Amino acid sequence: MSPFELTRTLPEDATGAALRADVLHGLTATPKTLPPKWFYDARGSELFEEITRLPEYYPTRAEREILRDRAADVAAATGARTLVELGSGSSDKTRHLLDALTGLHSYVPVDVSESALRGAADALLAERPRLHVHALVADFTARLALPKTPGPRVVAFLGGTIGNLLPAERAVFLRAVRAMLDPGDAFVLGTDLVKDESVLVRAYDDAAGVTAEFNKNVLAVLARELGADVDPADFDHVALWDRRAEWIEMRLRARSALTVKIPELGLAVPFEEGEELRTEVSAKFRREGVRAELAAAGLTLAHWWTDAEGRFALSLATVAG
């Protein structure tokens, strides 16, 4: 077996087709919406890395603290020989798990970006030449066919990214995760927790304006990829806490009445002054809610760890029954 293998399950134009479909659906809906995955072109990824270093943005630091302190507990609980990471990106925080899983044979990073997968694999194999990396270019929200690797396996979904899915989408996703697992496998999930509204809003509306630029970057993606004649300066960044749904919403608010023309789609999208386009939902969780959502998918919450301040949680679930 080669130290590095890559399998592409997405067609070459899958990203472009998905963008066109999401824009057509989301910008003709009421209210207007776009999925947060379209933030992450090269510039958007740079901005997000900058966000993770901001004093207001605690989730990355909090999750890294838990991984540093509890990776050995994950290893002891799972004895995993294969680590699968959904939405792996740079695989940066994953190194804590890779270090702790001393019997690890294979690492299976899953991401839509082939360049991110290759870059992460090069860095990991330079440090761990005996590790087998089998990368999947795939959409983690779709049902995945994992490569044949030794068990037991642990599937990790970090960063609180599950909060970007709406409740019905989370239910579908968690059932798909359950379908990947055999008895003896485990699922490690990172979730941001409900906390004081002011702390949450500051995390998504920092004083330096980096998150505002990140939010508006989706408009730059529309301009570059679909020819949209949109000026990010025509929109304001908005972050607010929905107490009922217990999630943060990021929105773009039109400063004046305008029309965004998207030639690639033959679309003209009118905005009234003050009209908002929702670009992200980031749900926050409570322990019992996580337990219930896992149980509904056929998973049993076995371990629950938080950082010292109780801001973020890492949970480990096993196959129910």
Side-chain angles (χ1 to χ4, degrees):
M1 179 179 178
S2 168
F4 177 74
E5 298 181 54
L6 185 138
T7 301
R8 172 178 284 278
T9 65
L10 289 176
E12 288 292 338
D13 188 43
T15 301
L19 175 62
R20 292 189 292 273
D22 285 345
V23 170
L24 183 61
H25 173 75
L27 295 190
T28 58
T30 303
K32 296 178 175 68
T33 64
L34 284 174
K37 63 184 176 182
W38 302 118
F39 291 137
Y40 296 95
D41 63 351
R43 177 57 181 156
S45 296
E46 290 173 0
L47 287 167
F48 184 71
E49 287 301 312
E50 189 174 343
I51 287 169
T52 65
R53 297 189 291 270
L54 293 170
E56 298 97 329
Y57 194 79
Y58 61 85
T60 302
R61 291 190 300 276
E63 186 177 45
R64 187 174 282 116
E65 175 190 321
I66 304 168
L67 286 167
R68 182 195 67 213
D69 295 345
R70 296 295 186 174
D73 294 327
V74 173
T78 64
R81 298 203 65 215
T82 294
L83 171 62
V84 179
E85 184 178 9
L86 307 178
S88 55
S90 66
S91 302
D92 179 43
K93 287 179 292 188
T94 321
R95 284 170 165 78
H96 293 291
L97 291 175
L98 294 172
D99 288 341
L101 293 165
T102 54
L104 195 69
H105 177 276
S106 298
Y107 173 50
V108 182
V110 181
D111 203 277
V112 295
S113 170
E114 181 173 339
S115 61
L117 288 168
R118 290 188 179 277
D122 287 345
L124 289 173
L125 289 172
E127 303 164 3
R128 301 169 174 82
R130 298 177 65 183
L131 181 67
H132 297 281
V133 178
H134 192 139
L136 291 183
V137 183
D139 181 350
F140 65 74
T141 62
R143 191 172 290 272
L144 295 175
L146 295 177
K148 292 187 181 302
T149 56
R153 294 175 298 179
V154 59
V155 175
F157 190 39
L158 304 175
T161 307
I162 194 167
N164 295 146
L165 303 177
L166 297 173
E169 295 169 333
R170 293 201 300 267
V172 171
F173 168 76
L174 290 172
R175 287 197 297 270
V177 169
R178 167 60 187 89
M180 296 179 205
L181 303 178
D182 294 326
D185 292 345
F187 177 47
V188 172
L189 177 66
T191 48
D192 196 5
L193 302 179
V194 174
K195 58 186 66 66
D196 184 82
E197 178 178 348
S198 63
V199 174
L200 288 164
V201 172
R202 283 197 302 272
Y204 292 83
D205 193 12
D206 61 276
V210 181
T211 311
E213 185 180 352
F214 175 70
N215 193 7
K216 292 182 182 186
N217 189 63
V218 74
L219 302 177
V221 171
L222 300 190
R224 184 184 64 249
E225 300 297 330
L226 301 177
D229 65 341
V230 59
D231 185 348
D234 289 336
F235 291 83
D236 289 321
H237 165 68
V238 178
L240 57 86
W241 172 243
D242 184 323
R243 293 182 183 85
R244 179 191 59 80
E246 295 193 323
W247 64 44
I248 285 280
E249 287 193 15
M250 291 210 310
R251 302 176 182 177
L252 293 169
R253 179 182 294 154
R255 291 181 171 178
S256 61
L258 56 91
T259 299
V260 175
K261 296 178 182 177
I262 308 177
E264 181 81 12
L265 299 177
L267 196 62
V269 183
F271 283 83
E272 297 178 3
E273 180 179 355
E275 186 176 355
E276 294 176 340
L277 163 64
R278 189 180 75 191
T279 53
E280 182 177 87
V281 162
S282 185
K284 309 305 170 187
F285 296 88
R286 301 176 188 270
R287 181 172 182 165
E288 288 311 309
V290 172
R291 185 193 302 276
E293 291 194 37
L294 290 169
L299 297 164
T300 298
L301 179 62
H303 298 277
W304 175 270
W305 302 291
T306 69
D307 64 296
E309 296 182 41
R311 299 167 296 177
F312 199 95
L314 197 72
S315 53
L316 188 149
T318 56
V319 176

